[in-house]
């Protein structure tokens, strides 16, 4: 199969065709975001060169003024949640695999229940809880929810991975007299590095892209995330196509950058057996 | 080391995760289940047993919306299973061909739409399919099918299927990655043995690889099921609004739950009925997960052994 040039051409045709299908919508938006409304309608497939080029769309996005704030909010929420998910998840997984105690198995099962039962189903009670705590319209509420949402998957992947790692390193560290805390930070954390990227990407994407919780828990002007901000912005500017397309392009960029940075490690983590099904 | 010493470490490592998870994930779900058994009478909570459920399933105003949303969710699930997952499997199978040139690049491209916000994806497709912009009609004229164009998102008969196809376009990357990882994990010796037996690539895929990745097929199935019942909210809210138009034809459990809880236009929000919708959804998901854990997964494991 590998050596047959005909089937090789067929395979690459299929792959290229699907690549076009996956990329075409994104490229279309990106090139048209640099055109004026006239250009967008007159010549949608052309590159934004010569008199087609216009940066008006981006200017009106920037003039709106709130996007840096939205980006900041999303960045804060995503990063802090991510740190909590990775650190607390790794700590829990370490305890579950390292210490034998009564109820260990049951607690492990309890902690990964959340993979199967989406936290969104508790939205009604979550909102009441945050009202009581006085945390509505704060980024803290989002961080807490996303941490709780991300922990089960992180604990599951870390536990599976730690089970496959030999305990000898930890035992020799113990003989060397390292405290349990130092063993975790100096031995276990470096040990799980291969799957950290996988957990990070899989936790990060749903947080950055979420519309549900920002819409319900923190819709206020000052705490809007990018996803919610874009949703509202586009709702207001449906006639200003240049601005809409520019806003969409702006929203795509950060995720794209994160993906490019993490993609190699992500694949390595997945194929290293972190996700075995 | 003393027993109490160990206990200190166990608490230190486990308590933070367990606490946050219990307070902000498990408690709200349990509390929603509890709220579904109460109703507000004269601004006081009154225990009403399963009255809310009875109302939801039998009172025309509620039952119509509930079964409509449920039916739409089932259609969404069926389409994802019939279109998304086979495409994902085919792409993963091709990508896992040894020494395929450009495999990493293709993989990156195929996964790209998955990364983006549903809000962004929704608007992009809305623009592309819009009769106003004319991208799609022009393309269809080009391939000689111009007369088949219709504003699909705006028609009751085609809106839900169109939304589903957009979702498939976006999320095909996730099952693809899972299949891909499973295919790469098949030991080389197994494949070598099949080759020595004289099987060609096509037969190896059907007779050797596919049976070996059956557990992943099961996992993808249940993940599709869960995602379809909860995550479909974002896309439909973005594309069709909270009323999930035209005329409720794209309403799913997520949008229904949102409207019930918060109210929409003339309809007032109702916390207890919102909790009832959420709890019904909880039992629907629980049913699916149980079928998976006790039916599908067991059988697959027996097949493996």
């Amino acid at each position: 199969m590998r050596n047959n040039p005909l089937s090789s051409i067929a395979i690459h045709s299929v792959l290229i065709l699907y690549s076009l299908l996956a990329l075409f919508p994104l490229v279309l938006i990106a090139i048209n975001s640099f055109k004026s409304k006239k250009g967008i309608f007159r010549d949608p497939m052309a590159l934004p060169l010569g008199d087609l080029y216009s940066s008006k769309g981006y200017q009106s996005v920037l003039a709106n003024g709130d996007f840096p704030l939205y980006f900041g909010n999303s960045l804060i929420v995503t990063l802090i949640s991510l740190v909590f998910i990775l650190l607390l998840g790794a700590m829990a997984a370490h305890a579950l695999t390292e210490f034998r105690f009564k109820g260990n198995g049951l607690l492990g099962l309890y902690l990964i229940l959340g993979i199967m039962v989406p936290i969104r189903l508790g939205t009604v009670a979550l909102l009441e809880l945050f009202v009581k705590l006085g945390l509505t319209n704060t980024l803290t509420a989002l961080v807490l929810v996303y941490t709780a949402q991300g922990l089960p998957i992180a604990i599951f992947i870390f536990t599976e991975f730690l089970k496959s790692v030999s305990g000898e390193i930890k035992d020799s560290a113990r003989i060397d007299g390292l405290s349990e805390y130092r063993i975790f930070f100096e031995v276990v954390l470096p040990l799980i590095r291969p799957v950290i990227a996988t957990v990070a990407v899989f936790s990060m994407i749903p947080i950055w892209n979420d519309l549900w919780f920002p819409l319900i828990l923190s819709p206020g002007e000052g705490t809007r995330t990018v996803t919610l901000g874009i949703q509202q912005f586009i709702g207001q500017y449906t006639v200003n196509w240049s601005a809409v397309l520019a806003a969409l392009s702006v929203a795509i960029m950060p995720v794209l950058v994160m993906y490019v940075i993490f993609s190699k490690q992500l694949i390595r983590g997945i194929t290293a057996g972190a996700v075995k099904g | 080391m003393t027993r109490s010493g160990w206990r200190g470490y166990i608490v230190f490592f486990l308590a933070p995760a367990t606490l946050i998870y219990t307070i902000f994930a498990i408690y709200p779900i349990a509390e929603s289940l509890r709220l579904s058994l109460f109703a507000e009478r004269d601004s006081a909570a009154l225990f009403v047993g399963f009255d809310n459920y009875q109302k939801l399933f039998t009172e025309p105003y509620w039952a119509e919306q509930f079964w409509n949303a449920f039916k739409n969710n089932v259609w969404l699930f069926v389409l994802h299973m019939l279109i998304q997952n086979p495409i994902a499997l085919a792409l993963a199978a091709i990508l896992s061909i040894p020494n395929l040139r450009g495999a990493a690049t293709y993989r990156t491209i195929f996964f790209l739409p998955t990364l983006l916000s549903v809000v962004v994806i929704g608007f992009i497709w809305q623009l592309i399919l819009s009769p106003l912009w004319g991208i799609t009609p022009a393309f269809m004229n080009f391939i000689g099918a111009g007369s088949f164009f219709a504003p699909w998102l705006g028609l009751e008969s085609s809106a839900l299927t169109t939304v589903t196809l957009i979702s498939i376009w976006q999320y095909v990357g996730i099952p693809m990655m899972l299949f891909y990882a499973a295919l790469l994990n098949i030991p080389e010796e197994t494949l070598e043995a099949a080759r020595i037996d004289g099987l060609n690539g096509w037969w190896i895929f059907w007779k050797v690889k596919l049976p070996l990745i059956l557990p992943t097929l099961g996992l993808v199935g249940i993940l599709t099921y869960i995602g379809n019942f909860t995550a479909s909210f974002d896309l439909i809210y973005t594309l069709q609004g909270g009323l999930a138009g035209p005329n409720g034809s794209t309403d799913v459990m997520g949008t229904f739950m949102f409207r019930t809880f918060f109210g929409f236009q003339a309809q007032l929000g109702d916390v207890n009925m919102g909790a009832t919708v959420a709890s019904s959804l909880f039992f629907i998901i629980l049913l699916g997960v149980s079928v998976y854990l006790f039916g599908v997964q067991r059988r697959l494991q027996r097949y493996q052994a």
Side-chain angles (χ1 to χ4, degrees), chain A residues 117-130:
Chain A
V117 189
I119 192 171
R120 280 187 187 191
L121 298 182
T123 306
V124 175
L126 257 179
L127 184 60
E128 292 199 335
L129 178 66
F130 283 126

Side-chain angles (χ1 to χ4, degrees), chain B residues 85-101:
Chain B
N85 296 343
I87 292 178
L89 182 59
L91 292 175
I94 296 177
L95 286 179
S96 65
I97 293 171
N99 307 320
L100 180 77
R101 203 174 301 164

Side-chain angles (χ1 to χ4, degrees), chain A residues 250-269:
Chain A
V250 166
I252 293 174
M253 278 322 284
V255 186
L256 217 62
V257 172
M258 286 195 278
Y259 182 49
V260 170
I261 294 171
F262 280 115
S263 80
K264 257 211 187 111
Q265 274 177 301
L266 171 71
I267 306 293
R268 215 177 293 146

Side-chain angles (χ1 to χ4, degrees), chain B residues 280-295:
Chain B
S280 308
L281 197 46
F282 173 82
F283 291 116
I284 291 171
I285 289 174
L286 204 66
L287 189 73
V289 172
S290 313
V291 168
Y292 166 71
L293 287 180
F294 299 110

Side-chain angles (χ1 to χ4, degrees), chain A residues 5-255:
Chain A
L6 252 180
S7 73
S8 162
I9 289 173
I11 284 169
H12 281 279
S13 319
V14 171
L15 291 173
I16 289 169
L17 257 169
Y18 199 86
S19 302
L20 288 178
L21 181 64
L23 287 180
F24 169 73
L26 308 178
V27 173
L28 189 71
I29 297 308
I31 57 176
N32 282 291
S33 69
F34 287 104
K35 294 179 194 167
S36 64
K37 190 172 179 181
K38 238 193 220 155
I40 292 172
F41 281 95
R42 200 182 63 205
D43 218 346
M45 309 298 252
L47 289 172
L49 301 171
D51 65 336
L52 275 177
Y53 175 82
S54 155
S55 61
K56 269 205 185 121
Y58 287 92
Q59 278 163 16
S60 43
V61 170
L62 288 178
N64 179 278
D66 288 326
F67 275 93
L69 174 73
Y70 300 159
F71 267 103
N73 287 341
S74 276
L75 218 60
I76 290 171
V77 168
T78 308
L79 287 180
I80 297 181
S81 308
L82 204 58
V83 169
F84 278 140
I85 291 170
L86 293 174
L87 182 67
L88 303 186
M91 280 164 62
H94 170 63
L96 287 172
T97 48
E98 189 66 15
F99 307 126
R100 299 276 129 236
F101 57 93
K102 217 173 142 194
N104 178 316
L106 215 59
L107 185 61
L109 206 63
Y110 170 76
L111 286 173
I112 60 170
L113 251 182
I115 299 177
M116 294 294 182
V117 189
I119 192 171
R120 280 187 187 191
L121 298 182
T123 306
V124 175
L126 257 179
L127 184 60
E128 292 199 335
L129 178 66
F130 283 126
V131 169
K132 259 182 230 158
L133 295 173
L135 286 176
T136 45
N137 276 323
T138 62
L139 299 180
T140 315
L142 292 178
V143 168
L144 289 168
V145 171
Y146 291 140
T147 305
Q149 173 184 276
L151 277 171
I153 271 271
I155 293 177
F156 175 70
I157 293 180
F158 285 144
T159 311
E160 291 297 304
F161 186 78
L162 281 173
K163 271 185 202 159
S164 71
V165 173
S166 123
E168 276 169 37
I169 288 188
K170 283 172 266 178
D171 288 336
S172 68
R174 226 161 255 145
I175 292 166
D176 287 346
L178 256 63
S179 76
E180 287 299 318
Y181 306 111
R182 285 188 59 191
I183 288 178
F184 174 75
F185 285 103
E186 289 170 29
V187 181
V188 175
L189 274 190
L191 216 56
I192 59 169
R193 201 181 294 153
V195 281
I196 283 185
T198 311
V199 175
V201 172
F202 277 121
S203 327
M204 190 164 58
I205 298 169
I207 298 176
W208 183 273
N209 289 338
D210 188 36
L211 177 65
W212 177 268
F213 284 118
L215 185 65
I216 293 170
L217 298 178
S218 59
E221 189 66 49
T223 50
R224 259 177 224 167
T225 59
V226 176
T227 306
L228 181 61
I230 291 278
Q231 200 260 347
Q232 313 257 318
F233 177 81
I234 295 176
Q236 289 164 18
Y237 288 80
T238 36
V239 268
N240 188 348
W241 282 55
S242 312
V244 168
L245 295 179
L248 291 173
S249 306
V250 166
I252 293 174
M253 278 322 284
V255 186

Side-chain angles (χ1 to χ4, degrees), chain B residues 217-290:
Chain B
L217 282 172
L219 180 77
V220 166
I222 188 65
L223 290 180
T224 308
Y225 182 83
I226 298 173
N228 147 69
F229 273 107
T230 53
S232 45
F233 168 84
D234 297 43
L235 185 60
I236 289 175
Y237 187 78
T238 304
L239 279 170
Q240 312 294 87
L243 281 171
N247 196 18
S249 60
T250 53
D251 204 17
V252 288
M253 296 300 278
T255 39
F256 177 41
M257 177 168 123
F258 183 82
R259 278 202 318 274
T260 310
F261 181 30
F262 293 100
F264 212 82
Q265 292 172 354
Q267 180 190 336
L268 283 175
D270 184 330
V271 172
N272 297 103
M273 282 312 280
T276 310
V277 176
S279 302
S280 308
L281 197 46
F282 173 82
F283 291 116
I284 291 171
I285 289 174
L286 204 66
L287 189 73
V289 172
S290 313

Side-chain angles (χ1 to χ4, degrees), chain B residues 99-113:
Chain B
N99 307 320
L100 180 77
R101 203 174 301 164
T105 313
Y106 289 127
R107 210 173 44 208
T108 309
I109 292 172
F110 297 167
F111 199 65
L112 197 58

